[in-house]
Structure formats: C-alpha cells, structure tokens
Amino acid sequence: MSNTFNFNRFGLLVKRQWMDFGKIYLGTLIVLAGIIFAFYSYFIPSTGDHNILDHDGNLDMRFRYGLFLMLGFLFISITSSTYFNNFGQKSRAIHELMIPASTFEKFMVGIFYTVVVTLFGYLLVFYLIDLGFVKYLNANLSAFKSAADIKTPLKMTDGLFDQVMSDQKYLKYCSAFFAFPFLVISLFLLGSIYFNRFHYIKTAVSVVVFTYAGGYLIYKTGDLLTRNMTRINLHIKEIDVLTWIFLVSAIITLVLWFITYIRLKEKEV
C-alpha cells in the first residue's frame, strides 16, 4: 500500500487498535487509579496527626509532586512499551502487517494512543482523585484546626493543577520540561518496535547505558579541552538554560519518532 494518509482508514484503524491496546490501557489505568487513591489515603493529613502543616502553614500535601512525577513516568513508559510489541511475535506480526493501512497511518495511530490518549487519561485520573481529596480536606478544615490546636486560620488547600497554574515559578519550570513526557514516550515507543522481547527492560537498560556513556563522554571531552586553562565564570541567564532544555528534549523526541517510523517501515518491507 502506498505511504499515504486517509482519514477514513485512520479512523477505522483507531477503532481496530482499541481492541488490542485498549484492554491493556484500561487495565493499567484502573491499577493506576487504585495506586493513586491508596497513596492519597495514606499520606493526606489526618486529624490524628501532630505535624499536618507544611512550611507555609497550610495542610501538608507536598507528597503529590513526587507521586505525580513517579507514577506519570511509569504509566506512560509502560503503555508506550507495549504498543508495538505484537511485531515481536511472528504470528501476530504477520497479522499486523496485513492490516490494510499505510505505514504512516499506523505510526500516527501509535502516536495518538501513546501521546494523546495516554497523557490525557493519566492527567484526568490524577486530577479527579486529587480534586476529591482536596474537597474532603477543605470541607473539614475546622476539624483539622481543632485537632492540631492551630490559632491562625487555615488556608483552603488548592488542587495540584490549580496550584501549578497559579504559580509563575512552577509554570516557568514546567514549560522548560514540557517535552520530557513526550521524550519518555518516544524512547519506549521505539523500544517496543525495536526489540522483539522484554521491551520495557531492554529499553530502560539501553537508556541508562547510553545516558551514562554520553554523559561520561561529554565530561571527558570537556575535561581534555579545558585542561590547564583558566576557568572563567560565565553568567548564564536561567531563561536561556530552560529554553535549551526544552529545545534539546523536543529535538531528540522528534528524532526518535522519526527513527520509530523508519523502523516500522522496515517491518512492513
């Protein structure tokens, strides 16, 4: 089939892929919701706790940041690493190759599910659970104040996303690392088509090895080039560093997606 894009075929392929990917996705999403609910239930402030306030004098909900980042990484990496795993099994690979759709359409459906559906699903589930617990805490502020013997008024707890969106500092750093979720997805999506078995483990090990090797090579190269030279302190603006972080991560993401497309095309051949 020619490497074209047809919206009708694309829509049919989206429906067809949901039969395979949808089962894994929904199962993982249910497990994810259970884990988030369990963490919130355990770590949210309780009227029986003595230290329930953070350094600003509000109810301590700082555990949400680490939980959001850690679970987000695991969820998007696991779902991405399973998308093209059928190509690692000869019998199922033949079935995938016989689907009447172009390589580009198959690739775009992969991007749709691993980027749009996966990220939206994770953000929605986390937002709803966070919102539910925040409403519970705000409805019981008087009980927390009495239990902890707090004299000053307690400020209402903000939702995680509301807190980030209303803080310019958070927004600045979030914009710099905006491409990182897409970078993680592109890495594990490539691993799902590149490796035939143990996609997640092999991809994770490869990322660690290449990151260490690249970092060590850059360090040694810089050390050799600057040896016996006088060090000059350069005043680099923070905004420039953050911009470069975004640009580099975005470029690497696009390159990895292009390699994934080429690898998928090779499978078709």
Side-chain angles (χ1 to χ4, degrees), residues 157-172:
T157 303
D158 292 326
L160 177 63
F161 298 100
D162 295 331
Q163 196 174 61
V164 171
M165 295 301 294
S166 61
D167 192 307
Q168 292 300 320
K169 184 178 179 181
Y170 282 136
L171 282 178
K172 180 174 67 175

Side-chain angles (χ1 to χ4, degrees), residues 45-53 57 59 140-152 154:
S46 171
T47 53
D49 298 334
H50 296 290
N51 299 318
I52 62 174
L53 302 181
L59 291 178
N140 294 274
L141 282 180
S142 57
F144 286 105
K145 183 177 179 180
S146 301
D149 193 23
I150 301 171
K151 305 301 181 183
T152 57
L154 273 177

Side-chain angles (χ1 to χ4, degrees), residues 14-220:
V14 167
K15 294 179 182 178
R16 188 266 171 197
Q17 291 300 93
W18 179 254
M19 297 174 63
D20 280 338
F21 182 76
K23 297 175 184 178
I24 300 173
Y25 173 75
L26 289 178
T28 310
L29 201 63
I30 292 172
V31 173
L32 172 74
I35 293 174
I36 296 174
F37 187 88
F39 267 90
Y40 266 77
S41 300
Y42 183 81
F43 285 105
I44 63 166
S46 171
T47 53
D49 298 334
H50 296 290
N51 299 318
I52 62 174
L53 302 181
D54 58 19
H55 53 78
D56 293 324
N58 305 316
L59 291 178
D60 193 356
M61 295 286 285
R62 290 173 295 181
F63 72 92
R64 297 183 294 182
Y65 302 108
L67 180 66
F68 177 78
L69 295 174
M70 179 185 67
L71 287 183
F73 171 82
L74 290 175
F75 181 68
I76 63 177
S77 60
I78 290 173
T79 52
S80 299
S81 69
T82 60
Y83 187 79
F84 285 125
N85 62 354
N86 285 343
F87 285 94
Q89 307 170 40
K90 184 175 294 186
S91 58
R92 304 196 69 177
I94 295 174
H95 182 67
E96 292 289 332
L97 294 173
M98 294 179 65
I99 295 175
S102 67
T103 305
F104 185 66
E105 289 164 350
K106 293 177 182 178
F107 172 74
M108 290 306 298
V109 171
I111 296 298
F112 171 75
Y113 274 117
T114 57
V115 175
V116 179
V117 175
T118 299
L119 283 179
F120 176 78
Y122 177 70
L123 293 175
L124 180 62
V125 168
F126 204 102
Y127 172 78
L128 292 177
I129 295 177
D130 179 72
L131 180 64
F133 278 95
V134 165
K135 286 187 175 295
Y136 162 76
L137 293 176
N138 289 334
N140 294 274
L141 282 180
S142 57
F144 286 105
K145 183 177 179 180
S146 301
D149 193 23
I150 301 171
K151 305 301 181 183
T152 57
L154 273 177
K155 181 182 176 183
M156 295 187 70
T157 303
D158 292 326
L160 177 63
F161 298 100
D162 295 331
Q163 196 174 61
V164 171
M165 295 301 294
S166 61
D167 192 307
Q168 292 300 320
K169 184 178 179 181
Y170 282 136
L171 282 178
K172 180 174 67 175
Y173 284 98
C174 286
S175 61
F177 292 94
F178 178 78
F180 267 60
F182 304 99
L183 176 59
V184 173
I185 290 172
S186 64
L187 282 167
F188 285 88
L189 186 64
L190 175 58
S192 72
I193 190 69
Y194 189 83
F195 299 111
N196 292 327
R197 298 178 61 193
F198 307 110
H199 311 83
Y200 191 88
I201 296 175
K202 289 182 179 179
T203 304
V205 171
S206 300
V207 170
V208 171
V209 170
F210 278 103
T211 301
Y212 175 80
Y216 181 77
L217 181 63
I218 293 173
Y219 168 77
K220 292 300 292 183

